[in-house]
Amino acid sequence: MIQNHGELSARTFVDVHAIQEELDQVRWGLHDGAGSEAAQHAAAEARASVSNLIAVVSNEPELGAISSVLDRLSVTNPSRTLILLAQHTRAADKLEAQVSAQERTESGHRVTTERVVLHAHGEPARHLASLAAPLLISDLPVILWWPGRPQFDTPLFDDLCELADRLVVDTDDGFDDADLARLLKVARRKKAQASIGDLNWARLIAWRHVAAQFFDMPGMLARLAQIHGVSIFHGSDGLTAQARLLGGWIRSRMATIGIDVPLEFRVDESFEHGVCQFLIYTRGDDGPARFSLSRLRGNRLLTQIRLGDQDLAPRTVRLDSRATEELLSIELTLPGHDVLFEQALDAALR
């Protein structure tokens, strides 16, 4: 059961120690007898953060949308959450903080989640990482979520990546080859490397699983070593990161057994966005074969197999459309580096 006991907002400050004190006061204020030793102890027990989550936004409308996602995410992933509204292009320097806490009851236990919004203009926006660092709960992982395309060339990006154990992005949001290369660099740098999570990669789970299942069928495994081509069709909006990642995935998997798979990317004008079709061409003792996955309207995947001149019975599977908080939850629960993703990203760039 979830009970929302209200949200308490603090006044505006710029001092990190004052922000931490306000966090404590707001949390204690959710309990009867706020300020008493018993209330403070109860509040400390109620906090059940499993991570530190830093989200970076660039404008007020985005702040509202991201806050709503984080509200829904906190049901399954309670965290100490810092939202950084960094507007370094605005001339006048400004630094404000707002503190809030929210309590809910889950499985008979009270859980309190805490949030700090830091709003900065100008020069303070470039140094928000130094203000965020003391507000993190020690001994808990630090997840940096950057909705939209990260500002790769800013000091803020580099400083936050130094703090983070994991950087979560969405490469579906206008990432080009240079952006993908920067991600791989963050994951593989020698000092303070962070693992990478990608909501776009999570959207490809069904495509990858169903494609792999083709070769779990009796008699199909031998064809896996005889792949000679892959075609990937994507929507007409010009965004290709998802198709590139899917192609990078199959190239990286086949490279482990010494096979270099030629890739072909083509536009499907009947779809606006995302991967539309995934075709795998193989050889075999009984002739060529084609394995295909096609996205249908209504969130379904059509699987088809053609062996020589024979078409096997097609199959339709559900293609789940997950909300942002569900995709983010998947990325928050993955331990360490996602080696398959990093290898797919590397292969996509090559």
Side-chain angles (χ1 to χ4, degrees):
M1 183 173 88
I2 299 174
Q3 294 178 334
N4 190 340
H5 290 266
E7 187 169 305
L8 304 179
S9 296
R11 58 189 179 276
T12 297
F13 327 52
V14 296
D15 180 73
V16 68
H17 299 293
I19 295 173
Q20 183 61 60
E21 289 178 6
E22 190 68 19
L23 270 173
D24 294 337
Q25 292 297 325
V26 168
R27 187 166 67 250
W28 299 337
L30 290 173
H31 304 272
D32 295 333
S36 69
E37 183 178 351
Q40 294 176 22
H41 181 68
E45 288 187 341
R47 187 178 67 201
S49 299
V50 297
S51 64
N52 297 285
L53 177 59
I54 303 174
V56 185
V57 297
S58 57
N59 56 63
E60 284 84 353
E62 188 179 16
L63 173 63
I66 295 306
S67 295
S68 297
V69 171
L70 294 173
D71 286 341
R72 297 189 293 271
L73 178 71
S74 67
V75 176
T76 56
N77 298 80
S79 64
R80 164 72 63 86
T81 301
L82 310 180
I83 303 178
L84 310 185
L85 176 51
Q87 297 177 299
H88 24 38
T89 57
R90 299 184 67 165
D93 289 352
K94 169 183 174 180
L95 179 58
E96 293 180 350
Q98 184 182 52
V99 180
S100 62
Q102 188 177 76
E103 182 185 283
R104 59 170 53 86
T105 301
E106 298 178 15
S107 303
H109 300 284
R110 289 180 306 184
V111 175
T112 301
T113 55
E114 306 147 342
R115 183 175 300 172
V116 179
V117 179
L118 300 176
H119 185 181
H121 293 175
E123 191 63 23
R126 297 176 176 84
H127 305 287
L128 275 177
S130 61
L131 184 58
L135 298 174
L136 302 173
I137 301 174
S138 60
D139 301 323
L140 289 182
V142 178
I143 313 299
L144 172 59
W145 177 35
W146 206 302
R149 181 186 174 275
Q151 297 164 343
F152 288 110
D153 297 321
T154 62
L156 181 61
F157 176 80
D158 290 331
D159 292 344
L160 289 175
C161 285
E162 291 282 334
L163 289 178
D165 298 293
R166 188 171 184 81
L167 167 65
V168 179
V169 297
D170 187 353
T171 58
D172 202 33
D173 202 342
F175 277 57
D176 58 22
D177 283 359
D179 298 333
L180 297 180
R182 288 292 296 269
L183 287 182
L184 197 59
K185 183 178 179 181
V186 170
R188 293 185 172 178
R189 62 188 178 186
K190 293 181 179 180
K191 181 182 176 182
Q193 64 177 226
S195 62
I196 306 298
D198 181 8
L199 306 190
N200 210 18
W201 177 249
R203 293 186 188 100
L204 290 170
I205 288 175
W207 290 87
R208 293 184 280 124
H209 283 187
V210 176
Q213 288 171 5
F214 279 138
F215 301 97
D216 289 336
M217 299 172 61
M220 296 299 180
L221 185 59
R223 289 184 174 274
L224 191 60
Q226 300 188 64
I227 292 178
H228 63 85
V230 168
S231 295
I232 299 176
F233 291 75
H234 57 83
S236 59
D237 61 0
L239 298 178
T240 63
Q242 190 176 87
R244 297 285 301 279
L245 283 174
L246 186 58
W249 167 71
I250 195 166
R251 286 201 74 187
S252 64
R253 294 303 86 215
M254 298 310 300
T256 62
I257 58 174
I259 297 176
D260 184 17
V261 177
L263 293 179
E264 174 193 36
F265 296 97
R266 299 181 63 180
V267 174
D268 184 338
E269 297 290 350
S270 64
F271 283 88
E272 181 180 358
H273 181 72
V275 174
C276 312
Q277 195 173 31
F278 184 28
L279 304 174
I280 303 171
Y281 302 94
T282 76
R283 300 182 180 90
D285 294 338
D286 52 351
R290 184 189 67 197
F291 301 83
S292 71
L293 288 171
S294 303
R295 176 157 58 101
L296 304 177
R297 308 292 180 181
N299 293 325
R300 294 173 296 146
L301 274 180
L302 174 65
T303 72
Q304 297 172 294
I305 300 176
R306 184 175 181 84
L307 300 177
D309 296 328
Q310 180 185 7
D311 291 317
L312 303 188
R315 183 168 66 102
T316 302
V317 297
R318 182 179 176 81
L319 183 62
D320 290 328
S321 179
R322 292 185 170 96
T324 301
E325 62 270 16
E326 294 179 86
L327 296 170
L328 188 56
S329 180
I330 292 172
E331 293 302 328
L332 295 185
T333 55
L334 291 175
H337 286 254
D338 186 342
V339 176
L340 289 182
F341 169 71
E342 291 179 16
Q343 291 175 345
L345 184 56
D346 185 41
L349 290 168
R350 286 187 288 108

